[in-house]
Amino acid sequence: MSEDQKKQLEQQLWNIANTLRGKMDADEFRDYILGFIFYKYLSEKMHIYANTILQEDGIKYESINENTAEGKEYLTAIKEASLTTLGYFLKPSELFSQVAKRGNKVAAEATELKDSNTYQSNFILEDLGNILKNIEQSTMGTDSEDDFDNLFEDLDLTSTKLGRTETEKNTLIAKVLAHLDKIDFQLSNTELDVLGDAYEYLIGKFASGAGKKAGEFYTPQEVSTVLARLVTIGKQKIKSAYDGTCGSGSLLLRIKKQVQDVGNFYGQELNRTTYNLARMNMILHGVHYQKFDIKQEDTLEKPQHFDMRFEAIVANPPFSAHWSASPLFMSDDRFSQYGKLAPTTKADFAFIQHMVHQLADNGTMAVVVPHGVLFRGGAEGHIRQYLIEDRNYLDAVIGLPANIFYGTSIPTCILVLKKCRENPNDILFIDSSQYFEKSGNQNYLRDDDIDLIIDTVKERINKPKYSHVALLQQVADNGYNLNIPRYVDTFEAEETINIDAIANELKALETNIKTNDATIAQFCLELNIIAPF
């Protein structure tokens, strides 16, 4: 599939979402359209896998009679194999294409979304709800149970947001299924991740319309790329990747694009809806259920991977979030050695401390934080100094442009930390705040801007007005204040003004004014009118 075809698919999916959602907010309809795309994906994977098994028998999966003894025998064998390989099971009658056909009778040829009212829908809401539950229940007692548990709970088919009456709800859902059924996801082409890319595209589009809420589930793709490239420099394989505030999982999946192989993915997310989205996103990107472990819980209060250590850690924690900062945490291995806890109203350093605890000795961590983390005093200043002076974990500080995150315009930066640094005597500072493109109300990093950041980190050199390699003593002399302008001089000297030349210009202007005044006065005299001066 060419790049143009890929963009066409992405636009096609967005048009369906945007046209059919009616008066529903984009972020509300998100859960439905992404959920149904995921259901279609599971269905097509099931269809392809079952047909592969049945190929020797010369039959198609959809042709199996579920009510005969022979049909039931086939389904039992296929279910057992499917639960091991795919992690879930769907009967032929539960396939997306079959439900879409049952839900829609085409009254006339309709190829445009505007003609969607030509569909007459059969009632499928109850049927569809049962199928989604069956997918979840098919995994009970298997290794994939945790990954599919309540996965479709946000697809509330009884919600009045879909329509005031059952008929209106059913009609809308039937239209969505009908339009999605026409799209070929090309899942048989294992070399492509077309649907995965399209899914990420949709998540991004919904994020751009969700305002402040977007930060809960999405990190802009360009920032994700920077973080992923930072933690994979010089590596082709990553044993384990972790994100303690994983949102929709896009950061973890971006690591997958940067290397040949990632052994396992681990993540934790507080928001239940976003947690479900992350699990769907993993599966939809072809990550086998045995290769990811996403948990839903408060990362600071109840860490789910406490005793594990990870080779690559990426994160975009909520900026200046509140947390309990309970004195009990002073006996927690994540925080005890620092002597102080992050303030209750600013958990930024608590997240950093948590992820440093989870970092393997050979690992790299890249985390997005607000600029206040670089210079705020009190407990935060104490923690910052300990990380640098006692632990010597901080490897680089990278300033990003303002207004590149959805829902906030504040400037941010990336901290890169390592427990075993190749350059233990200095810290690299980069100011990329002026390197961006503006698009509407948002700024974004261009490919060249990203390459410049990564190349500078690799080369670790001073670049005028862009980067500076600061010795640890220089940082100590600055009181462990990491404010980037202290290290990267971006001062632009003003143009020298020649006072004598300006004075001569003013004299010449004065002479011209007098000449013009005299000319005007002469005209006024000739016209027999009063001069204006």
Side-chain angles (χ1 to χ4, degrees):
M1 175 178 274
S2 68
E3 190 67 23
D4 287 342
Q5 287 174 310
K6 190 181 101 172
K7 288 181 178 178
Q8 189 177 358
L9 170 62
E10 292 171 348
Q11 194 60 47
Q12 199 174 4
L13 289 172
W14 177 244
N15 286 344
I16 291 173
N18 212 33
T19 304
L20 297 181
R21 70 181 173 89
K23 296 179 181 178
M24 200 184 304
D25 288 343
D27 60 318
E28 292 176 329
F29 194 65
R30 177 197 71 200
D31 300 327
Y32 291 99
I33 190 70
L34 293 180
F36 288 133
I37 289 173
F38 182 64
Y39 165 41
K40 177 176 166 67
Y41 169 83
L42 294 180
S43 175
E44 292 193 7
K45 288 285 283 187
M46 179 72 230
H47 195 194
I48 292 168
Y49 180 69
N51 279 339
T52 302
I53 294 175
L54 295 168
Q55 192 170 9
E56 289 185 6
D57 294 341
I59 54 177
K60 295 289 186 181
Y61 190 50
E62 62 271 25
S63 67
I64 292 177
N65 189 328
E66 299 174 20
N67 299 314
T68 65
E70 184 184 29
K72 289 178 181 178
E73 189 176 339
Y74 269 120
L75 293 182
T76 300
I78 292 171
K79 180 176 182 179
E80 185 178 341
S82 177
L83 288 174
T84 301
T85 305
L86 301 180
Y88 63 93
F89 174 71
L90 280 162
K91 292 185 290 188
S93 60
E94 296 175 333
L95 295 176
F96 184 97
S97 56
Q98 299 300 312
V99 177
K101 286 174 185 175
R102 290 201 296 274
N104 290 277
K105 289 180 179 178
V106 183
E109 285 297 319
T111 56
E112 300 291 335
L113 286 174
K114 63 183 179 181
D115 295 325
S116 58
N117 59 0
T118 59
Y119 285 102
Q120 297 175 348
S121 56
N122 291 326
F123 196 77
I124 56 166
L125 280 185
E126 185 177 354
D127 193 16
L128 182 57
N130 290 333
I131 291 170
L132 299 181
K133 287 178 185 175
N134 290 345
I135 294 174
E136 297 171 351
Q137 291 173 358
S138 73
T139 69
M140 292 180 67
T142 70
D143 292 340
S144 61
E145 181 176 1
D146 288 345
D147 299 315
F148 284 85
D149 181 43
N150 291 317
L151 195 53
F152 291 100
E153 64 183 344
D154 293 305
L155 267 74
D156 183 4
L157 301 179
T158 65
S159 173
T160 54
K161 293 174 183 176
L162 294 171
R164 289 172 297 173
T165 67
E166 293 300 294
T167 301
E168 287 179 354
K169 296 172 193 173
N170 189 77
T171 300
L172 176 60
I173 295 302
K175 286 178 184 177
V176 173
L177 298 188
H179 287 298
L180 286 177
D181 193 43
K182 295 176 183 176
I183 299 176
D184 182 6
F185 286 167
Q186 299 196 36
L187 298 187
S188 56
N189 189 341
T190 55
E191 298 301 312
L192 296 174
D193 190 16
V194 174
L195 186 57
D197 289 342
Y199 205 68
E200 283 283 310
Y201 169 83
L202 278 182
I203 293 173
K205 289 290 285 184
F206 280 119
S208 66
K212 198 168 184 179
K213 293 181 183 178
E216 297 174 5
F217 63 87
Y218 188 70
T219 300
Q221 204 170 88
E222 300 80 22
V223 180
S224 297
T225 300
V226 174
L227 294 172
R229 290 181 65 178
L230 285 170
V231 300
T232 56
I233 288 175
K235 296 182 178 182
Q236 287 302 316
K237 292 184 178 181
I238 296 291
K239 183 178 179 182
S240 57
Y242 173 73
D243 183 348
T245 55
C246 69
S248 63
S250 61
L251 276 177
L252 289 170
L253 290 165
R254 191 59 51 178
I255 293 177
K256 181 173 178 277
K257 287 183 175 290
Q258 297 301 323
V259 293
Q260 293 174 1
D261 181 58
V262 178
N264 292 92
F265 298 89
Y266 299 86
Q268 190 166 336
E269 172 57 37
L270 176 61
N271 183 285
R272 181 74 189 183
T273 298
T274 311
Y275 160 69
N276 289 337
L277 185 57
R279 290 187 293 166
M280 289 183 186
N281 209 6
M282 283 284 160
I283 295 168
L284 200 136
H285 276 82
V287 180
H288 194 270
Y289 69 87
Q290 292 179 331
K291 293 189 69 174
F292 74 87
D293 180 22
I294 308 292
K295 300 292 188 185
Q296 193 250 325
E297 192 51 85
D298 188 310
T299 301
L300 298 179
E301 305 290 340
K302 296 181 180 179
Q304 298 296 297
H305 304 95
F306 189 83
D307 295 324
M308 301 184 71
R309 301 295 178 267
F310 306 104
E311 186 178 353
I313 295 180
V314 287
N316 175 21
F319 300 153
S320 301
H322 289 218
W323 75 306
S324 69
S326 167
L328 295 174
F329 281 126
M330 288 308 298
S331 60
D332 188 311
D333 287 347
R334 296 173 295 169
F335 311 110
S336 58
Q337 61 185 299
Y338 295 84
K340 290 188 178 182
L341 295 173
T344 56
T345 57
K346 292 180 178 65
D348 304 303
F349 264 110
F351 282 111
I352 293 171
Q353 290 167 294
H354 166 81
M355 283 175 263
V356 165
H357 170 80
Q358 306 276 189
L359 185 63
D361 288 342
N362 68 332
T364 303
M365 165 182 155
V367 56
V368 178
V369 292
H371 271 239
V373 166
L374 302 179
F375 54 78
R376 289 194 296 250
E380 292 181 288
H382 177 86
I383 295 168
R384 187 170 59 244
Q385 181 172 342
Y386 184 84
L387 277 170
I388 300 169
E389 185 179 36
D390 288 75
R391 299 284 86 190
N392 196 12
Y393 288 164
L394 184 62
D395 196 60
V397 178
I398 303 166
L400 297 174
N403 207 31
I404 59 172
F405 288 93
Y406 298 117
T408 179
S409 60
I410 66 171
T412 54
C413 61
I414 297 172
L415 300 185
V416 180
L417 297 101
K418 299 179 181 180
K419 287 185 175 176
C420 297
R421 300 206 295 132
E422 299 90 344
N423 302 278
N425 300 317
D426 55 52
I427 297 172
L428 173 65
F429 289 83
I430 295 176
D431 183 358
S432 63
S433 60
Q434 302 305 312
Y435 293 76
F436 63 88
E437 185 84 24
K438 190 170 182 63
S439 176
N441 295 324
Q442 291 290 135
N443 297 331
Y444 69 93
L445 297 171
R446 298 159 295 197
D447 290 344
D448 288 346
D449 302 327
I450 296 172
D451 289 341
L452 183 58
I453 291 173
I454 302 303
D455 290 344
T456 304
V457 170
K458 288 178 180 177
E459 295 166 5
R460 209 173 182 86
I461 58 174
N462 295 320
K463 294 182 180 179
K465 304 187 187 307
Y466 185 75
S467 67
H468 176 69
V469 180
L471 294 175
L472 292 181
Q473 186 58 51
Q474 183 183 357
V475 177
D477 292 343
N478 276 316
Y480 297 96
N481 184 320
L482 304 175
N483 205 14
I484 297 172
R486 285 175 176 251
Y487 304 93
V488 182
D489 182 9
T490 58
F491 176 75
E492 294 285 350
E494 293 184 7
E495 185 182 350
T496 303
I497 298 174
N498 188 327
I499 299 298
D500 290 339
I502 296 296
N504 290 330
E505 286 180 21
L506 289 173
K507 286 180 181 179
L509 286 172
E510 185 67 25
T511 301
N512 288 337
I513 289 171
K514 288 180 180 179
T515 301
N516 290 336
D517 286 350
T519 302
I520 293 171
Q522 181 60 36
F523 288 155
C524 291
L525 182 63
E526 292 175 3
L527 295 170
N528 197 26
I529 59 175
I530 299 173
F533 38 79

